[in-house]
Amino acid sequence: MATMTMVKGLNEGLRQVLEQDEKALIMGEDVGLLGGVFRVTDGLQKDFGSERVVDTPLSESGIIGTAIGLALRGYRPICEIQFDGFVYPGFDQLVSQLAKLRNRSGGRIKMPVVVRIPCGGGIGAIEHHSESPESYFVHTAGLKVVTCASPEDAYWMIQQAAASDDPVVFFEPKRRYHAKAEVDTTAAPLGLHRSRVVRSGSTATLIAYGPTVDVALNAAGAAAEEGLDLEVIDLRSLSPIDWEPLRTSLRKTGRAVVVHEAPQTLGMGSEVAARLSEECFYSLEAPVMRVTGYDVPYPASRLEDDYLPNLDRVLDAVDRSLEY
Amino acid sequence: MGTVDRPRPAKKTAKNRRKSASSTNDPEFVQLLTPEGRRVDHPDYHLSLTDDEYRGLYRDLVISRELDAQGTALQRQGQLGLWPSMLGQEAAQIGSGRALKPKDTVFPAYRELGVQWVRGVDIISPFALFRGVDLGGRDVEADRFQIYSIVIASQTLHAAGYAMGVAKDGAVGDDGEAVIVYHGDGATSEGDFNEALIWAGVFNSPLVFFCQNNQYAISETNARQFRVPPYKRAEGFGLPGVRVDGNDVLACYAVSDSLLQRARSGEGPSLIEAYTYRMQPHTTSDDATRYRDEAELDYWRGKDPIARYRTWLEAESLADDDYFASVDSEASEHVLELRERVMNLSDPDVTEMFDSVYADVPPSLEAERAEAVAFRASLDEGSES
């Protein structure tokens, strides 16, 4: 088993895709010669050529829009949007074109396009470089949305996303890019749209994804010292959501706290809370709590520690849940 | 009525007289057939078709106009929700469409009934779309005619990407393929259009932008879209741009043929601005009397693409009254068949809104589908009892 960072996991996963599928392409700003600003595509243009790892114009609508055209021609593009806050110029092509073309065609055409987006804060960046725009895409029928929280998931999920005949928006938590962990490149991976219990417990359930899985695990570790046995679930897939592990967990713990960096209003926590209230009402001992970013634009980086969900805010929410 | 923009008289220079021999109000453009039906030469663009091909263009012009008129009629009769007429733009569409080869691929906007007709694609699809029974789906790969795109200019990027794919496939050069994307004058103000020009340019893709400048983006004239006409703007993106008389089917054919061949052979993208006029309102929902007057329409009636072409065919003895009557008769048959088919389009089943969203359908959507089906069934049971 190899130890690698999330960046390396993604890079190795993409290498597998390019080796195994001659129709796969990587395209984006600075993905070729430079290897991407985070080096996720490092070395791939050198090995697979500039026809398959394409440095594109600085043009997000163009990246998504031409990826659609390439998909119509039989290619399987994997696009990189350089930062979360730069996806909006490509918004129409993502939500009105990429998402809907299969439906408009009556199911006759497929759109095997992956849109990779480094996401989230916590790296001291300037504005537009720390956002969590997942709700826009989760709210858009026709797209699938996933996010990885570990190098192993990064390695496998990017390959699974590339194999999908539906368009996948793939969020990569940039503050976890350089954390190392073991990666099993041989065992059969969990399905792309499955959630996973990453820590088993009985007192309450923490539901997280992407960058906040680590936050939740740390909170569970600290809580254990206080005698609280928290379960942690990594959603992994934000659209569709794999509900069964959540229902199973709630029936066991009766309490849930959803943790994400995106603002609270109509964030993933809203949907998770509403659905679990509908489907697990008699199992709930307390309302589903949310620990999220605030309903403000992402703040100046000197304030991001106050904005981002952290261990203390998560444990505070657990305490409030336990008070019911 | 002081706000209406009218075509301005061109400067009467020797150069202009040579390029546009007949009408002093026309801008500078490639013309092979004057509004009076007189054949003129152009130094760069020539056309030599067989007699049958010349007659065929007339047939296409007339039949597509009649089918389009049915769109308007069917909307007025409550059979369609909306119809965007192409009346007046037949020459631009038939001329460019007939210059296409079978392997070429078309990316339409949403007013390209004439192109669809000459491509041999079943013309029922826009009628089904505007009746609201489906979203315009067809077998786009077999048709080599992509799906209608309602969001202005969005299709220009799809075409740019597709053309990149054509080049990646090595399908340029001898026996190469070209891609053509149709858009209007309004589209030239959109970011996507300008990005598509960038992409087509830097990747030297086999793509022809075919701008039908019909003078209007709903109510707004060219003056609100650009200070430099689209064909001139192309140069700034590194593409040749040519303006053609969009009501002259021969010129539209000749210029399209030349630039499509250029694309197929690997010489790169280009832009054609077909200078034409939208004789109908933007759609059947629009009221064009609020922004343009009868005098302007009269001016453009004098440039009708079909009348001038018929005059020329007669003068050249390429077609006689029997031929024209046979085309009218054939058009009537197509119209009757179309009306019959449109009226018999059945409403979709409730399941259809669920079934094409994903290739791999999520369980949560399957549950919603089952709920909708059960609810519809419960209503049907209620109405039966």
Side-chain angles (χ1 to χ4, degrees), chain B residues 186-197:
Chain B
T188 67
S189 299
E190 292 278 8
D192 277 2
F193 169 72
N194 290 278
E195 291 188 33
L197 285 168

Side-chain angles (χ1 to χ4, degrees), chain B residues 161-174:
Chain B
Y162 192 93
M164 285 171 73
V166 171
K168 280 186 192 301
D169 290 345
V172 288
D174 294 340

